[in-house]
Amino acid sequence: MNFKRRILVTGGAGFIGSHVVRRMVQRHPDFLIVNFDVLTYAGNLENLVDIEKEANYAFFRGDICEPSDIEKAFAEHQITDIIHLAAESHVDRSILDPLAFVRTNVMGTANLLHAARSNWKDDQEHRFYHVSTDEVYGSLGHEGFFTEETPYDPRSPYSASKASSDHLVRSFHHTFGLPVVISNCSNNYGPNQFPEKLIPLFISNIVESKPLPVYGKGENVRDWLYVEDHAEAIEVIFLNGTVGETYNIGGNNEWSNISLIQELCSQMDQRLSREAGESAKLISYVTDRAGHDFRYAIDCSKLERTLGWKPSMDFETGLASTIDWYLSNPTWIENVKSGSYQQYYSEQYGNR
Ligand code: NAD
Ligand code: DAU
């Protein structure tokens, strides 16, 4: 078919990627959306069963660490644009295995940049959109916000690997004129998030009456954004963002971990018809995360001023619908935790 744009979405089977893929497939029938994903523990095609038969969707099992996989995807689908989300994304895992993060997040991004540069030599319009994190800016005290001008100060192997990839992306713009755009977003929550991250882990533990491991005193602060709001921001920036620019994305929604956990416990008590205070009894204070950043808070006024985007989901409703989704999809949780999807994908696509 004659598609207007042919977009490689890396990491499209993951948490945020699956929402981006669904949104782009449904809202842009004139764009081909190629989901390029190697399907690590965090990638799951089950997230996309509702759109997998659409004429403008294709899946390509590929590894951003393998240049030949990227070349094959470019050749097979004549890729015109990239929305790059594939990454190792969990801070605790980066403390256990930093090199895996350097490999995927730094080398993988460099491979994609190289492929884009060498394939896009025509006069057509192209775009390399790199999806990044607010963690590159470091950690705030009680006051202030990250703006697009905040100097980089990454402090975990995860955030350092994402900062390196941001620098590489900008360097390909400044040196080679690659048409790039970058966004840096705060903590996402919502359906399809792997139950290692705070909210889905705690929902799953409450259901099973397991301890809720709160790091340190639970005073660290995060700014939470509903994942579909993030997917909308990504669409807006992809379509209308200015080449070479960076946009912060956030939820204007700061919570200390312990207040958020109390709120979650109270909603879970109601949903599971447990006595008030029952779930909170599972809270267990544990040793703090090494190098734990104290506070992230995003100033996303540039995105609102220049492109008209702002978050629309209020937190109480977003949290309630997230809880709903996890309670209605126990098999999804069981399968991702047991790794049974991985076994299925190896049988279908071979071991990677
Ligand atoms: P995720 O861990 O849920 O998904 C990552 C996806 O990338 C998975 O589908 C995985 O299979 C795929 N992947 C990993 N390594 C790959 C490789 N070598 N080749 C191809 N595919 C590979 O991650 P997420 O939470 O959806 O995050 C997506 C992106 O958004 C990441 O770049 C992350 O840094 C960024 N981000 C995440 C958040 C958040 O709160 N989760 C916030 C801001 C930015
Ligand atoms: O800010 C954006 C980042 O948000 C993204 O770039 C990352 O990919 C994403 O994982 C997320 O990072 P965090 O480290 O903030 O998210 P996490 O859900 O792991 O933790 C949120 C907070 O909760 C953090 O302060 C650590 C704390 N925590 C987390 C877990 C998993 C606990 O207290 N106990 C836990 O068991």
Side-chain angles (χ1 to χ4, degrees):
M1 265 173 87
N2 205 8
F3 290 107
K4 209 161 130 199
R5 298 173 93 151
R6 308 174 71 89
I7 309 167
L8 193 76
V9 180
T10 70
F15 167 46
I16 301 169
S18 59
H19 292 274
V20 171
V21 165
R22 175 175 300 97
R23 188 177 180 89
M24 296 300 284
V25 164
Q26 289 177 339
R27 290 170 53 88
H28 300 281
D30 51 342
F31 293 175
L32 173 69
I33 305 301
V34 180
N35 174 9
F36 182 99
D37 201 302
V38 77
L39 303 175
T40 66
Y41 76 96
N44 185 354
L45 292 175
E46 195 75 7
N47 296 340
L48 291 166
V49 275
D50 56 322
I51 55 103
E52 69 186 4
K53 301 232 156 45
E54 297 298 330
N56 65 334
Y57 172 77
F59 174 65
F60 188 103
R61 192 179 195 198
D63 188 342
I64 57 170
C65 300
E66 290 293 338
S68 60
D69 284 359
I70 304 173
E71 277 311 319
K72 274 186 215 144
F74 263 82
E76 197 169 305
H77 293 291
Q78 297 91 53
I79 297 302
T80 60
D81 300 87
I82 294 177
I83 303 179
H84 174 37
L85 296 110
E88 287 296 338
S89 68
H90 192 43
V91 174
D92 292 327
R93 285 182 192 254
S94 83
I95 296 167
L96 293 171
D97 184 6
L99 292 190
F101 283 67
V102 175
R103 232 175 357 254
T104 300
N105 300 357
V106 184
M107 279 311 297
T109 303
N111 291 334
L112 279 172
L113 287 163
H114 177 73
R117 182 181 166 225
S118 44
N119 280 278
W120 295 342
K121 294 213 158 122
D122 49 22
D123 293 337
Q124 231 187 309
E125 194 191 334
H126 300 287
R127 181 155 294 209
F128 188 109
Y129 179 174
H130 178 58
V131 175
S132 192
T133 171
D134 61 356
E135 299 197 11
V136 298
Y137 298 123
S139 178
L140 292 164
H142 290 278
E143 304 285 316
F145 295 90
F146 297 135
T147 72
E148 288 81 359
E149 276 72 50
T150 303
Y152 275 31
D153 181 23
R155 294 147 45 101
S156 73
Y158 164 69
S159 53
S161 69
K162 291 297 291 187
S164 311
S165 61
D166 292 10
H167 290 321
L168 278 166
V169 171
R170 289 197 183 95
S171 79
F172 270 63
H173 175 62
H174 289 292
T175 311
F176 306 117
L178 196 73
V180 310
V181 64
I182 299 180
S183 60
N184 296 86
C185 186
S186 65
N187 287 62
N188 285 216
Y189 70 100
N192 302 350
Q193 188 170 32
F194 193 85
E196 62 187 350
K197 309 279 168 38
L198 181 73
I199 291 180
L201 174 71
F202 279 34
I203 293 174
S204 160
N205 283 12
I206 291 170
V207 170
E208 295 179 36
S209 295
K210 284 186 178 166
L212 307 177
V214 179
Y215 298 161
K217 294 183 180 155
E219 287 168 354
N220 304 62
V221 175
R222 297 291 182 264
D223 169 8
W224 293 92
L225 176 70
Y226 194 61
V227 64
E228 286 181 9
D229 277 345
H230 189 187
E232 179 186 54
I234 289 174
E235 180 195 15
V236 166
I237 293 168
F238 175 76
L239 294 174
N240 302 320
T242 303
V243 165
E245 290 289 312
T246 293
Y247 299 90
N248 279 354
I249 309 174
N252 301 328
N253 178 39
E254 287 183 56
W255 288 77
S256 72
N257 291 341
I258 195 62
S259 321
L260 186 153
I261 292 160
Q262 296 284 5
E263 170 68 23
L264 179 67
C265 286
S266 122
Q267 284 206 22
M268 288 295 285
D269 283 342
Q270 288 173 28
R271 302 301 302 287
L272 299 173
S273 306
R274 290 182 182 168
E275 227 173 80
E278 194 67 21
S279 300
K281 285 188 197 149
L282 298 168
I283 290 173
S284 159
Y285 291 91
V286 300
T287 309
D288 209 353
R289 172 185 279 174
H292 197 172
D293 287 341
F294 175 63
R295 173 171 167 260
Y296 306 140
I298 276 274
D299 174 347
C300 58
S301 57
K302 173 178 172 181
L303 186 51
E304 182 172 0
R305 205 175 51 250
T306 57
L307 301 180
W309 178 91
K310 60 177 184 209
S312 56
M313 178 63 93
D314 78 273
F315 189 62
E316 206 181 322
T317 316
L319 189 60
S321 76
T322 303
I323 292 172
D324 255 348
W325 188 85
Y326 283 97
L327 294 183
S328 319
N329 290 280
T331 322
W332 184 93
I333 300 187
E334 242 169 70
N335 285 341
V336 295
K337 275 183 167 171
S338 68
S340 63
Y341 287 129
Q342 270 55 57
Q343 198 184 326
Y344 169 74
Y345 296 137
S346 309
E347 283 158 17
Q348 267 213 309
Y349 300 104
N351 278 319
R352 303 295 309 220

